[in-house]
Amino acid sequence: MKIKQFKDDPLSHFSYALVSNGEMALIDPARNPIQYYKYAEEENAKIVAVMETHPHADFVSGHLQIHKETGATIYISEKVGVNYPHQAFDEGDSVAIGDVTIKPIFTPGHSPDSLTFYAFDNKEHILFTGDTLFIGDVGRPDLREKAGNTKAKRKELAQMMYQSIQNKFDDLPDEAIIYPAHGAGSLCGKNMSDANSSTLGNERMGNWAFIKQTEEEFVSEILKDQPFIPSYFGFNVDLNREGAENVQAAKYRAPIHLNVENIEDEFLVVDTRDEQIYKKSHLPYSINIMARSESDKFETWLGAIIEPEEQFYLVLETIDKLDEILERVAKIGYEKQLKGIFTLSDKITNSSEKFDVATFDENKENYTIVDIRNDAEVSEAKIFENSYHIPLNELRESIGALPKDKPLVVHCAGGYRSAAGSSILESEIEEVAVYDLSEDVKKYKS
């Protein structure tokens, strides 16, 4: 048995290829299947199976496209309730991939239809745990209250997760290798390790969820301090249940316009350029969600700030960025909302106010400070005592709550989010100037 792990850094998503005796199974694949096809060529293996641990919330899966292009069978729990061609795969079933046997284990908790895939041969034991068991943590239980074929309240799912962790792994060996669907940085859990794999024995010793505790204690711990839920999560659950269309066809439909000077309508504009370039010149109604490199969480914040099915334009720094940025938009299924793609003319004069940090430092009382960090960050420590707190993902709908009698200064924890937050306020507020504290916030953090 040979396992290859693929990582999507911006979403901290792990997917897998299992190869045995010329056959390949893909587990929780990303939307674009080309990387898996290349690997199948390298291994001279036929892709015969695509396995989904559950309908994912944070990314769009390419399972249906892979099925159509390779003939691979999609294996997914009947509880998910899908209509595309598939093989129902639930506890008690099994499938052979070459010399490897794969069995599904019903492990609800992150979702009411979650599976863990147990793969084994005469030498190795592998657990593909999806969003049930992470390295150092377990999946959050609060994403399926309003999405999916089967819905469940967060407390009910937390109780299910307790039973899954307490009972579903008991008969499996300590040496079983755990391969989760996510690592640190994902919003599908709260305290994941940077490690990309572990063993069941190590998790039994070091993962808080395996500690002997009452169900009440477990439920209390798993429900507290979970990160925010981006707007697109429920949308992606339903899109994955339907099966996404071919990504290569879908992502290139929007028209491209070069050297644009203005636009006549008032559709939202998502500007992906660096904040310094953006501040010098940008279109009206723009939000600066930077996509400079994979370290920028562009996908997450696009799906947190822009609502599913809300139409928008996209601004690129250069046309060379086209393929990369469209790929990132399509990861969360937002390509259908895209009205057009622009590069901008150097004749655009609309710019952001320059911020004098020294003046701010000496006269903070003359500004309204807006803290757009998440609730958990603010609960740990406020950076400015008298600031207004509105998380970035709620900012567009909460502008009316801010006073407009003094200039507004927006800050986050390091500068990335404040570029988006300040651009949101700047595009909507005319009464006073809006400033971005950007990376200068770091000097005020204790």
Side-chain angles (χ1 to χ4, degrees):
M1 177 179 359
K2 186 173 183 179
I3 307 294
K4 182 172 176 64
Q5 183 181 68
F6 300 83
K7 185 178 183 184
D8 181 329
D9 280 311
L11 292 172
S12 300
H13 164 224
F14 297 125
S15 56
Y16 301 90
L18 181 155
V19 180
S20 175
N21 200 19
E23 294 188 330
M24 179 181 292
L26 302 175
I27 296 92
D28 291 335
R31 184 169 186 185
N32 194 331
I34 298 301
Q35 61 185 333
Y36 311 116
Y37 296 170
K38 289 180 179 178
Y39 185 60
E41 282 188 350
E42 291 172 16
E43 293 295 317
N44 193 26
K46 178 178 175 56
I47 300 173
V48 297
V50 187
M51 298 182 163
E52 294 283 289
T53 56
H54 65 293
H56 303 278
D58 61 316
F59 70 93
V60 177
S61 171
H63 55 280
L64 186 56
Q65 179 175 343
I66 295 167
H67 161 73
K68 290 179 177 179
E69 293 178 339
T70 70
T73 300
I74 301 172
Y75 293 89
I76 191 167
S77 172
E78 195 66 14
K79 296 177 178 64
V80 178
V82 300
N83 293 318
Y84 53 71
H86 69 285
Q87 174 64 53
F89 201 49
D90 288 291
E91 198 163 293
D93 297 329
S94 66
V95 64
I97 305 297
D99 300 322
V100 175
T101 300
I102 303 180
K103 294 184 175 182
I105 304 170
F106 182 45
T107 51
H110 172 70
S111 69
D113 41 31
S114 286
L115 299 176
T116 290
F117 298 131
Y118 175 37
F120 59 93
D121 56 19
N122 292 327
K123 298 178 181 179
E124 295 179 276
H125 301 266
I126 305 292
L127 290 168
F128 298 104
T129 54
D131 289 17
T132 295
L133 179 57
F134 296 133
I135 312 307
D137 199 7
V138 291
R140 65 190 299 176
D142 56 346
L143 301 182
R144 288 291 293 275
E145 294 189 316
K146 298 179 181 179
N149 179 53
T150 304
K151 300 175 178 64
K153 298 295 184 183
R154 61 189 64 193
K155 184 176 180 180
E156 295 171 346
L157 280 170
Q159 292 167 335
M160 291 180 195
M161 182 67 84
Y162 176 77
Q163 296 299 327
S164 291
I165 297 300
Q166 291 294 314
N167 302 315
K168 291 293 186 173
F169 298 95
D170 284 354
D171 297 331
L172 299 171
D174 279 344
E175 64 268 23
I177 299 172
I178 293 172
Y179 287 120
H182 293 290
S186 168
L187 290 177
C188 291
K190 58 182 178 180
N191 291 311
M192 284 174 269
S193 167
D194 288 331
N196 60 3
S197 66
S198 183
T199 65
L200 185 54
N202 285 339
E203 294 309 299
R204 282 169 170 155
M205 290 188 295
N207 190 318
W208 73 269
F210 282 101
I211 295 172
K212 188 175 182 179
Q213 57 195 300
T214 66
E215 182 179 278
E216 184 178 3
E217 290 170 333
F218 180 95
V219 169
S220 176
E221 178 61 31
I222 196 175
L223 288 179
K224 75 179 183 183
D225 299 330
Q226 287 290 355
F228 77 100
I229 302 173
S231 301
Y232 80 96
F233 269 25
F235 170 71
N236 273 195
V237 169
D238 291 333
L239 181 53
N240 282 320
R241 285 187 60 244
E242 295 169 10
E245 65 177 314
N246 181 292
V247 68
Q248 280 76 27
K251 68 184 181 180
Y252 291 109
R253 290 193 181 127
I256 299 170
H257 304 276
L258 303 179
N259 300 313
V260 169
E261 294 183 29
N262 58 66
I263 52 176
E264 295 180 358
D265 58 43
E266 296 186 0
F267 281 118
L268 195 63
V269 176
V270 173
D271 195 317
T272 65
R273 300 173 299 160
D274 179 81
E275 61 180 320
Q276 298 305 322
I277 299 173
Y278 172 87
K279 287 179 171 64
K280 289 178 182 177
S281 64
H282 54 263
L283 293 169
Y285 310 107
S286 293
I287 298 178
N288 185 203
I289 309 177
M290 295 184 284
R292 302 161 298 186
S293 69
E294 287 197 337
S295 62
D296 287 340
K297 296 287 187 179
F298 171 75
E299 294 89 334
T300 296
W301 289 109
L302 177 67
I305 294 170
I306 311 302
E307 292 294 318
E309 302 182 11
E310 183 178 13
Q311 294 181 315
F312 64 95
Y313 290 111
L314 195 66
V315 171
L316 310 177
E317 182 177 352
T318 67
I319 202 64
D320 284 344
K321 301 281 285 184
L322 177 67
D323 289 342
E324 174 193 337
I325 302 301
L326 286 180
E327 182 80 6
R328 299 182 75 166
V329 171
K331 282 186 203 175
I332 63 168
Y334 270 33
E335 74 282 351
K336 286 185 178 179
Q337 303 163 219
L338 197 51
K339 291 287 292 179
I341 302 158
F342 302 153
T343 61
L344 300 186
S345 166
D346 56 12
K347 296 179 181 179
I348 293 175
T349 58
N350 189 51
S351 61
S352 301
E353 297 270 7
K354 291 185 178 180
F355 185 41
D356 187 339
V357 180
T359 300
F360 169 75
D361 203 29
E362 296 173 1
N363 304 279
K364 296 184 188 68
E365 69 279 1
N366 293 336
Y367 299 85
T368 296
I369 302 173
V370 185
D371 184 344
I372 61 169
R373 295 176 299 156
N374 300 330
D375 291 338
E377 294 173 282
V378 175
S379 66
E380 288 182 5
K382 292 195 74 171
I383 297 175
F384 299 99
E385 190 57 38
N386 296 317
S387 60
Y388 283 77
H389 172 227
I390 304 174
L392 175 55
N393 60 300
E394 301 174 13
L395 190 58
R396 289 179 67 198
E397 61 195 48
S398 304
I399 292 174
L402 292 170
K404 314 295 191 305
D405 58 338
K406 293 186 287 189
L408 297 160
V409 175
V410 180
H411 80 84
C412 59
Y416 179 82
R417 287 172 288 175
S418 64
S422 60
S423 64
I424 289 171
L425 297 185
E426 179 187 339
S427 66
E428 296 291 336
I429 293 175
E430 298 179 353
E431 296 92 332
V432 293
V434 175
Y435 300 109
D436 177 11
L437 188 54
S438 192
E439 293 184 357
D440 288 316
V441 70
K442 295 174 183 178
K443 76 177 190 177
Y444 298 102
K445 294 168 70 175
S446 56

